[in-house]
Amino acid sequence: MAPVLIVGGGTIGLSIGWRLARAGRAVEVFDRAEAGRGASWLAAGMLAPDAELQFEELELYAFNRESLDRWPQFVEELEADAGQSVDYRDEGTLIVADDRDSAEALRRLYDFQREHDLNVDWLTGEEARAVEPFLAPRLHAAIHAPFDHQVDNRKLIEALKVALQTAGGTLREHTPVERIEPDEEAPAVVLDDGTRVDGSAVVLAAGAWSRGVEGLARDHRPPVRPVKGQMLQLQMELPFDLQHVVRGPDAYLAPKSNGRLLVGATSEEMGFDTQVTAGGLYDVLEGGWEIVPGIYDLPVTETWAGLRPSSRDHAPLIGRSAAPGVIFATGHYRHGVLLTPITADEVARLLRTGETSPWIEPFSPLRFVSSPAASA
Ligand code: GLY
C-alpha cells in the first residue's frame, strides 16, 4: 500500500506518523525545515485543560480532558519505543490570583471546575505558599489542580522523531511540500523541487502554515491563522527551585527538570511576524514576576516568538476535509501538546478503519465549508 503522506513534522504530524508506523502502515512525514521546530518547540508543554478555555467551550473542554487522561499511557509507550524520557511531570498546576479582580475570576473558574466534578482545591494565599514556597507573598488565592501535568515539549519532539523512525516511518526534513493533489484513491504531494510523491492518504498537519499549502480549492483550505506568542527561558539557580507550573492573570511559568524555566506568553495577531520585542518580553516578565518574584535574579537564556495555529472558533480541525483523500489535523491553537495523544490516536484510527470516532466528530473540518456535499 502506498504510504500515508503527512505534511508537517510538529508534535501532531510526528505522533500521527509514529502511531501509524507502529501499527504497520507505511508513512512519510515531510517538514519544510528541521522537524518540530515550529510551535511544538516554542511551546511550554503544559497539559492544562482548564486554565486556557472559555467556559462555553464545553466540547473542546471534554476533548482536552480526554487527551489529558491518555497522556500517561502515551508517555509510557513513547518512552519505551524511543528509549528516552520526555520529562512528564505530575506535580500539578497552581492557578493564582494577585488582586481582588483576578480572585473573583479565579473563583468563577473554580465553581465551573467543581460543577464538572474536577478534583481541584481552593487555597488561600498562605495555603498556596505552603504548597509552592516561591509564590509571591501578596497573592490572594489559588486553585491547586493536581491533575494538570506537563511534559518537556522539546524532549517530546526528540522522542517522537526517534520513535517514528524506529517503527519504520520515514522522516523527510528540509523538504517543503509545495502542493497537495487531492484524490480519493491516490492523493499525492508535490515537493518544491517538483518531485511528485504518491500516497494512500494525505494528512495536513502544518500548524500555522496549513493554509499556505497549495493545491486545495480556496474554500477547502483550513481557516487557520498564526497567533504570535512571545516567551523566554530562564535558568533556575538554587535556592530558587520552582516545582509547580504556576499560572497567573498575565503570565505562566513552567519549570522543567533540567532547570529550564519557561515564562510566557503574549497573544498577538501579527501574521507571520516572529520578532521578539521589548514590550512583549516586558509584559511577560512583569506578569511572571508579580506571581513569582524570585525570577528577578535568574539569567535569561533564550527568547523567542512562536506561532499558535488558530482556527476561527479556536477549536482544532481533525478528520476528513472536503478535499478527497486529504485529512486535516491542524488548528490546535493553545492546546497542541495537550491534544497530541488524542489527535494521533483518532487520526490513526480513521486512517486504519475509515471510521470517524465520536471524539473527533465535533471538530470536523467540514464545519467551515459552506456546502461540503457540493465540494466533495
Ligand atoms: N498554551 C500556552 C500558550 O498558548 O501560550
Side-chain angles (χ1 to χ4, degrees):
M1 196 177 197
V4 174
L5 308 175
I6 301 179
V7 183
T11 178
I12 298 294
L14 288 170
S15 60
I16 293 168
W18 167 54
R19 287 314 225 192
L20 286 169
R22 126 190 255 276
R25 283 291 288 270
V27 56
E28 292 191 30
V29 179
F30 299 85
D31 199 281
R32 60 198 191 104
E34 194 177 337
R37 295 295 172 133
S40 311
W41 193 259
L42 304 175
M46 294 175 298
L47 310 176
D50 301 313
E52 291 186 310
L53 279 187
Q54 302 301 315
F55 294 140
E56 64 274 17
E57 295 174 329
L58 286 178
E59 254 163 1
L60 184 54
Y61 182 69
F63 193 56
N64 282 356
R65 291 218 61 85
E66 173 66 18
S67 196
L68 182 70
D69 288 347
R70 296 187 191 191
W71 257 99
Q73 196 185 339
F74 184 85
V75 168
E76 200 179 307
E77 292 173 4
L78 178 59
E79 290 185 341
D81 281 16
Q84 53 189 265
S85 160
V86 298
D87 191 19
Y88 182 83
R89 291 182 60 167
D90 61 4
E91 287 90 345
T93 294
L94 287 156
I95 311 167
V96 301
D98 61 357
D99 59 19
R100 258 181 77 170
D101 274 0
S102 60
E104 276 181 27
L106 195 68
R107 190 78 210 184
R108 285 196 296 277
L109 174 64
Y110 177 73
D111 292 342
F112 172 80
Q113 291 172 324
R114 297 298 296 185
E115 260 170 47
H116 290 83
D117 294 329
L118 300 189
N119 178 22
V120 282
D121 300 311
W122 181 263
L123 306 180
T124 62
E126 201 177 329
E127 287 166 339
R129 278 182 294 280
V131 174
E132 178 53 77
F134 292 98
L135 293 180
R138 57 190 278 271
L139 292 186
H140 282 232
I143 296 171
H144 184 216
F147 46 78
D148 272 12
H149 297 163
Q150 63 158 327
V151 68
D152 186 322
N153 44 300
R154 296 189 177 180
K155 292 186 176 175
L156 172 68
I157 288 294
E158 300 299 355
L160 283 169
K161 284 166 76 165
V162 173
L164 165 74
Q165 294 174 97
T166 306
T170 302
L171 177 58
R172 300 180 65 174
E173 299 182 281
H174 304 285
T175 308
V177 168
E178 196 179 272
R179 194 167 77 243
I180 295 173
E181 294 192 345
D183 186 276
E184 198 54 57
E185 302 303 321
V189 299
V190 178
L191 308 181
D192 69 338
D193 66 0
T195 311
R196 187 172 190 278
V197 184
D198 294 315
S200 54
V202 173
V203 179
L204 180 55
W209 290 268
S210 299
R211 191 171 175 75
V213 180
E214 301 287 330
L216 306 184
R218 199 171 173 74
D219 72 326
H220 294 180
R221 294 189 185 190
V224 172
R225 67 179 196 285
V227 178
K228 177 178 175 182
Q230 298 190 49
M231 291 183 63
L232 55 107
Q233 175 181 288
L234 306 174
Q235 183 61 38
M236 291 195 281
E237 290 178 340
L238 293 174
F240 184 92
D241 188 19
L242 192 72
Q243 292 298 312
H244 297 81
V245 172
V246 181
R247 307 189 60 103
D250 303 311
Y252 53 73
L253 299 100
K256 305 298 173 187
S257 297
N258 54 10
R260 296 197 305 134
L261 175 60
L262 307 182
V263 190
T266 62
S267 207
E268 303 165 68
E269 300 278 354
M270 298 284 289
F272 284 91
D273 168 65
T274 52
Q275 182 88 50
V276 175
T277 64
L281 293 185
Y282 174 81
D283 287 348
V284 166
L285 273 173
E286 187 185 38
W289 171 77
E290 274 173 355
I291 54 178
V292 180
I295 63 171
Y296 193 84
D297 293 319
L298 301 182
V300 177
T301 49
E302 206 180 318
T303 61
W304 64 86
L307 299 174
R308 309 172 182 94
S310 179
S311 71
R312 288 207 292 273
D313 61 10
H314 290 171
L317 291 85
I318 306 173
R320 283 184 218 286
S321 75
V326 182
I327 285 169
F328 289 171
T330 187
H332 290 74
Y333 191 35
R334 295 182 180 280
H335 316 292
V337 177
L338 170 63
L339 290 175
T340 291
I342 198 164
T343 305
D345 286 350
E346 300 307 335
V347 171
R349 191 191 316 267
L350 172 61
L351 284 159
R352 284 199 317 271
T353 65
E355 307 280 323
T356 295
S357 90
W359 280 114
I360 58 173
E361 258 166 36
F363 307 108
S364 165
L366 301 180
R367 73 189 186 277
F368 293 116
V369 178
S370 36
S371 169
S375 341

PDB file of all heavy atoms in Angstrom, residues 42-46 48 52 227-231 247 252 264-267 308 333-337, ligand 1:
ATOM      1  N   LEU A  42       8.419  25.692  20.480  1.00  0.00           N
ATOM      2  CA  LEU A  42       8.362  27.008  21.113  1.00  0.00           C
ATOM      3  C   LEU A  42       7.255  27.094  22.159  1.00  0.00           C
ATOM      4  O   LEU A  42       6.950  28.162  22.663  1.00  0.00           O
ATOM      5  CB  LEU A  42       8.163  28.070  20.029  1.00  0.00           C
ATOM      6  CG  LEU A  42       9.248  28.017  18.938  1.00  0.00           C
ATOM      7  CD1 LEU A  42       8.944  29.014  17.831  1.00  0.00           C
ATOM      8  CD2 LEU A  42      10.628  28.276  19.521  1.00  0.00           C
ATOM      9  N   ALA A  43       6.671  25.958  22.490  1.00  0.00           N
ATOM     10  CA  ALA A  43       5.581  25.927  23.469  1.00  0.00           C
ATOM     11  C   ALA A  43       6.144  25.750  24.877  1.00  0.00           C
ATOM     12  O   ALA A  43       7.360  25.715  25.073  1.00  0.00           O
ATOM     13  CB  ALA A  43       4.645  24.774  23.121  1.00  0.00           C
ATOM     14  N   ALA A  44       5.240  25.595  25.854  1.00  0.00           N
ATOM     15  CA  ALA A  44       5.691  25.412  27.233  1.00  0.00           C
ATOM     16  C   ALA A  44       5.413  23.992  27.736  1.00  0.00           C
ATOM     17  O   ALA A  44       5.835  23.640  28.835  1.00  0.00           O
ATOM     18  CB  ALA A  44       5.012  26.423  28.143  1.00  0.00           C
ATOM     19  N   GLY A  45       4.698  23.188  26.956  1.00  0.00           N
ATOM     20  CA  GLY A  45       4.482  21.787  27.340  1.00  0.00           C
ATOM     21  C   GLY A  45       3.484  21.589  28.461  1.00  0.00           C
ATOM     22  O   GLY A  45       3.468  20.540  29.106  1.00  0.00           O
ATOM     23  N   MET A  46       2.617  22.585  28.696  1.00  0.00           N
ATOM     24  CA  MET A  46       1.648  22.435  29.792  1.00  0.00           C
ATOM     25  C   MET A  46       0.477  21.572  29.339  1.00  0.00           C
ATOM     26  O   MET A  46      -0.038  21.746  28.231  1.00  0.00           O
ATOM     27  CB  MET A  46       1.130  23.807  30.210  1.00  0.00           C
ATOM     28  CG  MET A  46       2.212  24.663  30.821  1.00  0.00           C
ATOM     29  SD  MET A  46       1.637  26.329  31.170  1.00  0.00           S
ATOM     30  CE  MET A  46       1.237  26.901  29.558  1.00  0.00           C
ATOM     31  N   ALA A  48      -2.820  21.345  30.435  1.00  0.00           N
ATOM     32  CA  ALA A  48      -3.716  22.045  31.357  1.00  0.00           C
ATOM     33  C   ALA A  48      -5.034  22.358  30.674  1.00  0.00           C
ATOM     34  O   ALA A  48      -5.196  23.424  30.089  1.00  0.00           O
ATOM     35  CB  ALA A  48      -3.044  23.329  31.818  1.00  0.00           C
ATOM     36  N   GLU A  52      -7.019  27.441  30.094  1.00  0.00           N
ATOM     37  CA  GLU A  52      -6.946  28.225  28.859  1.00  0.00           C
ATOM     38  C   GLU A  52      -8.229  28.199  28.041  1.00  0.00           C
ATOM     39  O   GLU A  52      -8.220  28.532  26.877  1.00  0.00           O
ATOM     40  CB  GLU A  52      -5.780  27.723  28.022  1.00  0.00           C
ATOM     41  CG  GLU A  52      -4.456  28.058  28.667  1.00  0.00           C
ATOM     42  CD  GLU A  52      -3.269  27.702  27.818  1.00  0.00           C
ATOM     43  OE1 GLU A  52      -3.211  26.574  27.336  1.00  0.00           O
ATOM     44  OE2 GLU A  52      -2.408  28.552  27.650  1.00  0.00           O
ATOM     45  N   VAL A 227      -1.189  32.971  15.617  1.00  0.00           N
ATOM     46  CA  VAL A 227      -1.332  33.886  16.760  1.00  0.00           C
ATOM     47  C   VAL A 227      -0.002  33.852  17.520  1.00  0.00           C
ATOM     48  O   VAL A 227       0.389  32.831  18.072  1.00  0.00           O
ATOM     49  CB  VAL A 227      -2.509  33.487  17.682  1.00  0.00           C
ATOM     50  CG1 VAL A 227      -2.594  34.425  18.881  1.00  0.00           C
ATOM     51  CG2 VAL A 227      -3.833  33.513  16.909  1.00  0.00           C
ATOM     52  N   LYS A 228       0.659  34.995  17.496  1.00  0.00           N
ATOM     53  CA  LYS A 228       2.037  35.073  17.996  1.00  0.00           C
ATOM     54  C   LYS A 228       2.104  34.998  19.522  1.00  0.00           C
ATOM     55  O   LYS A 228       1.309  35.636  20.216  1.00  0.00           O
ATOM     56  CB  LYS A 228       2.614  36.409  17.514  1.00  0.00           C
ATOM     57  CG  LYS A 228       4.003  36.734  17.977  1.00  0.00           C
ATOM     58  CD  LYS A 228       4.430  38.070  17.362  1.00  0.00           C
ATOM     59  CE  LYS A 228       5.777  38.521  17.870  1.00  0.00           C
ATOM     60  NZ  LYS A 228       6.162  39.833  17.313  1.00  0.00           N
ATOM     61  N   GLY A 229       3.048  34.237  20.020  1.00  0.00           N
ATOM     62  CA  GLY A 229       3.284  34.167  21.463  1.00  0.00           C
ATOM     63  C   GLY A 229       4.757  34.376  21.762  1.00  0.00           C
ATOM     64  O   GLY A 229       5.586  33.580  21.346  1.00  0.00           O
ATOM     65  N   GLN A 230       5.081  35.466  22.456  1.00  0.00           N
ATOM     66  CA  GLN A 230       6.480  35.694  22.846  1.00  0.00           C
ATOM     67  C   GLN A 230       6.730  35.055  24.207  1.00  0.00           C
ATOM     68  O   GLN A 230       5.883  35.154  25.109  1.00  0.00           O
ATOM     69  CB  GLN A 230       6.775  37.191  22.925  1.00  0.00           C
ATOM     70  CG  GLN A 230       6.614  37.902  21.602  1.00  0.00           C
ATOM     71  CD  GLN A 230       7.148  39.328  21.650  1.00  0.00           C
ATOM     72  OE1 GLN A 230       8.265  39.583  22.095  1.00  0.00           O
ATOM     73  NE2 GLN A 230       6.344  40.263  21.177  1.00  0.00           N
ATOM     74  N   MET A 231       7.872  34.429  24.329  1.00  0.00           N
ATOM     75  CA  MET A 231       8.222  33.734  25.571  1.00  0.00           C
ATOM     76  C   MET A 231       9.702  33.910  25.856  1.00  0.00           C
ATOM     77  O   MET A 231      10.460  34.323  24.989  1.00  0.00           O
ATOM     78  CB  MET A 231       7.967  32.223  25.429  1.00  0.00           C
ATOM     79  CG  MET A 231       6.528  31.855  25.344  1.00  0.00           C
ATOM     80  SD  MET A 231       6.338  30.062  25.283  1.00  0.00           S
ATOM     81  CE  MET A 231       7.005  29.582  26.867  1.00  0.00           C
ATOM     82  N   ARG A 247       0.236  29.561  37.010  1.00  0.00           N
ATOM     83  CA  ARG A 247      -0.429  30.409  36.017  1.00  0.00           C
ATOM     84  C   ARG A 247      -1.054  31.592  36.734  1.00  0.00           C
ATOM     85  O   ARG A 247      -1.781  31.418  37.712  1.00  0.00           O
ATOM     86  CB  ARG A 247      -1.562  29.641  35.318  1.00  0.00           C
ATOM     87  CG  ARG A 247      -1.146  28.319  34.727  1.00  0.00           C
ATOM     88  CD  ARG A 247      -2.269  27.782  33.888  1.00  0.00           C
ATOM     89  NE  ARG A 247      -2.531  28.737  32.837  1.00  0.00           N
ATOM     90  CZ  ARG A 247      -2.142  28.578  31.568  1.00  0.00           C
ATOM     91  NH1 ARG A 247      -1.533  27.488  31.198  1.00  0.00           N
ATOM     92  NH2 ARG A 247      -2.409  29.492  30.671  1.00  0.00           N
ATOM     93  N   TYR A 252       2.421  32.750  32.644  1.00  0.00           N
ATOM     94  CA  TYR A 252       2.577  31.436  33.281  1.00  0.00           C
ATOM     95  C   TYR A 252       4.060  31.105  33.358  1.00  0.00           C
ATOM     96  O   TYR A 252       4.886  31.643  32.604  1.00  0.00           O
ATOM     97  CB  TYR A 252       1.808  30.353  32.520  1.00  0.00           C
ATOM     98  CG  TYR A 252       2.105  30.251  31.035  1.00  0.00           C
ATOM     99  CD1 TYR A 252       3.288  29.720  30.563  1.00  0.00           C
ATOM    100  CD2 TYR A 252       1.163  30.688  30.098  1.00  0.00           C
ATOM    101  CE1 TYR A 252       3.549  29.641  29.204  1.00  0.00           C
ATOM    102  CE2 TYR A 252       1.416  30.613  28.738  1.00  0.00           C
ATOM    103  CZ  TYR A 252       2.608  30.076  28.301  1.00  0.00           C
ATOM    104  OH  TYR A 252       2.873  30.016  26.964  1.00  0.00           O
ATOM    105  N   GLY A 264       5.794  32.570  29.809  1.00  0.00           N
ATOM    106  CA  GLY A 264       5.053  33.001  28.615  1.00  0.00           C
ATOM    107  C   GLY A 264       3.726  33.591  29.012  1.00  0.00           C
ATOM    108  O   GLY A 264       3.375  33.608  30.174  1.00  0.00           O
ATOM    109  N   ALA A 265       3.023  33.956  28.059  1.00  0.00           N
ATOM    110  CA  ALA A 265       3.317  34.242  26.687  1.00  0.00           C
ATOM    111  C   ALA A 265       2.371  35.343  26.239  1.00  0.00           C
ATOM    112  O   ALA A 265       1.244  35.461  26.747  1.00  0.00           O
ATOM    113  CB  ALA A 265       3.091  33.019  25.814  1.00  0.00           C
ATOM    114  N   THR A 266       2.824  36.145  25.284  1.00  0.00           N
ATOM    115  CA  THR A 266       1.909  37.138  24.716  1.00  0.00           C
ATOM    116  C   THR A 266       0.933  36.445  23.776  1.00  0.00           C
ATOM    117  O   THR A 266       1.106  35.269  23.432  1.00  0.00           O
ATOM    118  CB  THR A 266       2.683  38.203  23.911  1.00  0.00           C
ATOM    119  OG1 THR A 266       3.337  37.551  22.823  1.00  0.00           O
ATOM    120  CG2 THR A 266       3.692  38.919  24.781  1.00  0.00           C
ATOM    121  N   SER A 267      -0.070  37.146  23.352  1.00  0.00           N
ATOM    122  CA  SER A 267      -1.044  36.625  22.397  1.00  0.00           C
ATOM    123  C   SER A 267      -1.338  37.764  21.428  1.00  0.00           C
ATOM    124  O   SER A 267      -2.026  38.715  21.776  1.00  0.00           O
ATOM    125  CB  SER A 267      -2.306  36.219  23.158  1.00  0.00           C
ATOM    126  OG  SER A 267      -2.977  35.226  22.475  1.00  0.00           O
ATOM    127  N   ARG A 308       1.019  30.151  17.227  1.00  0.00           N
ATOM    128  CA  ARG A 308      -0.034  29.157  17.500  1.00  0.00           C
ATOM    129  C   ARG A 308      -0.960  29.094  16.287  1.00  0.00           C
ATOM    130  O   ARG A 308      -1.352  30.145  15.767  1.00  0.00           O
ATOM    131  CB  ARG A 308      -0.878  29.567  18.708  1.00  0.00           C
ATOM    132  CG  ARG A 308      -0.103  29.920  19.953  1.00  0.00           C
ATOM    133  CD  ARG A 308      -1.084  30.483  20.974  1.00  0.00           C
ATOM    134  NE  ARG A 308      -0.449  30.904  22.205  1.00  0.00           N
ATOM    135  CZ  ARG A 308      -0.037  32.143  22.464  1.00  0.00           C
ATOM    136  NH1 ARG A 308      -0.175  33.089  21.556  1.00  0.00           N
ATOM    137  NH2 ARG A 308       0.505  32.444  23.617  1.00  0.00           N
ATOM    138  N   TYR A 333      -4.255  25.501  18.117  1.00  0.00           N
ATOM    139  CA  TYR A 333      -4.172  26.755  18.869  1.00  0.00           C
ATOM    140  C   TYR A 333      -3.301  26.620  20.120  1.00  0.00           C
ATOM    141  O   TYR A 333      -2.143  26.318  20.014  1.00  0.00           O
ATOM    142  CB  TYR A 333      -5.587  27.230  19.196  1.00  0.00           C
ATOM    143  CG  TYR A 333      -5.699  28.640  19.731  1.00  0.00           C
ATOM    144  CD1 TYR A 333      -4.854  29.646  19.285  1.00  0.00           C
ATOM    145  CD2 TYR A 333      -6.648  28.974  20.686  1.00  0.00           C
ATOM    146  CE1 TYR A 333      -4.957  30.941  19.785  1.00  0.00           C
ATOM    147  CE2 TYR A 333      -6.767  30.270  21.187  1.00  0.00           C
ATOM    148  CZ  TYR A 333      -5.912  31.241  20.738  1.00  0.00           C
ATOM    149  OH  TYR A 333      -6.011  32.518  21.229  1.00  0.00           O
ATOM    150  N   ARG A 334      -3.880  26.783  21.326  1.00  0.00           N
ATOM    151  CA  ARG A 334      -3.070  26.746  22.550  1.00  0.00           C
ATOM    152  C   ARG A 334      -2.867  25.327  23.071  1.00  0.00           C
ATOM    153  O   ARG A 334      -2.232  25.136  24.109  1.00  0.00           O
ATOM    154  CB  ARG A 334      -3.783  27.530  23.661  1.00  0.00           C
ATOM    155  CG  ARG A 334      -3.920  28.992  23.372  1.00  0.00           C
ATOM    156  CD  ARG A 334      -4.581  29.679  24.548  1.00  0.00           C
ATOM    157  NE  ARG A 334      -4.735  31.097  24.306  1.00  0.00           N
ATOM    158  CZ  ARG A 334      -3.766  32.002  24.447  1.00  0.00           C
ATOM    159  NH1 ARG A 334      -2.567  31.623  24.849  1.00  0.00           N
ATOM    160  NH2 ARG A 334      -3.990  33.270  24.202  1.00  0.00           N
ATOM    161  N   HIS A 335      -3.467  24.352  22.393  1.00  0.00           N
ATOM    162  CA  HIS A 335      -3.556  23.035  23.012  1.00  0.00           C
ATOM    163  C   HIS A 335      -2.842  21.933  22.238  1.00  0.00           C
ATOM    164  O   HIS A 335      -3.166  20.761  22.389  1.00  0.00           O
ATOM    165  CB  HIS A 335      -5.032  22.646  23.174  1.00  0.00           C
ATOM    166  CG  HIS A 335      -5.899  23.757  23.681  1.00  0.00           C
ATOM    167  ND1 HIS A 335      -5.783  24.248  24.955  1.00  0.00           N
ATOM    168  CD2 HIS A 335      -6.859  24.497  23.075  1.00  0.00           C
ATOM    169  CE1 HIS A 335      -6.654  25.249  25.112  1.00  0.00           C
ATOM    170  NE2 HIS A 335      -7.312  25.410  23.981  1.00  0.00           N
ATOM    171  N   GLY A 336      -1.889  22.306  21.387  1.00  0.00           N
ATOM    172  CA  GLY A 336      -1.260  21.307  20.511  1.00  0.00           C
ATOM    173  C   GLY A 336      -0.582  20.187  21.268  1.00  0.00           C
ATOM    174  O   GLY A 336      -0.742  19.010  20.927  1.00  0.00           O
ATOM    175  N   VAL A 337       0.170  20.532  22.296  1.00  0.00           N
ATOM    176  CA  VAL A 337       0.884  19.476  23.032  1.00  0.00           C
ATOM    177  C   VAL A 337      -0.137  18.642  23.813  1.00  0.00           C
ATOM    178  O   VAL A 337      -0.124  17.409  23.743  1.00  0.00           O
ATOM    179  CB  VAL A 337       1.967  20.086  23.951  1.00  0.00           C
ATOM    180  CG1 VAL A 337       2.650  18.997  24.758  1.00  0.00           C
ATOM    181  CG2 VAL A 337       2.996  20.848  23.113  1.00  0.00           C
TER     182      VAL A 337
HETATM  183  N1  GLY B   1      -0.572  27.009  25.765  1.00  0.00           N
HETATM  184  C1  GLY B   1       0.256  28.107  26.063  1.00  0.00           C
HETATM  185  C2  GLY B   1       0.030  29.291  25.230  1.00  0.00           C
HETATM  186  O1  GLY B   1      -0.808  29.292  24.353  1.00  0.00           O
HETATM  187  O2  GLY B   1       0.690  30.275  25.462  1.00  0.00           O
END
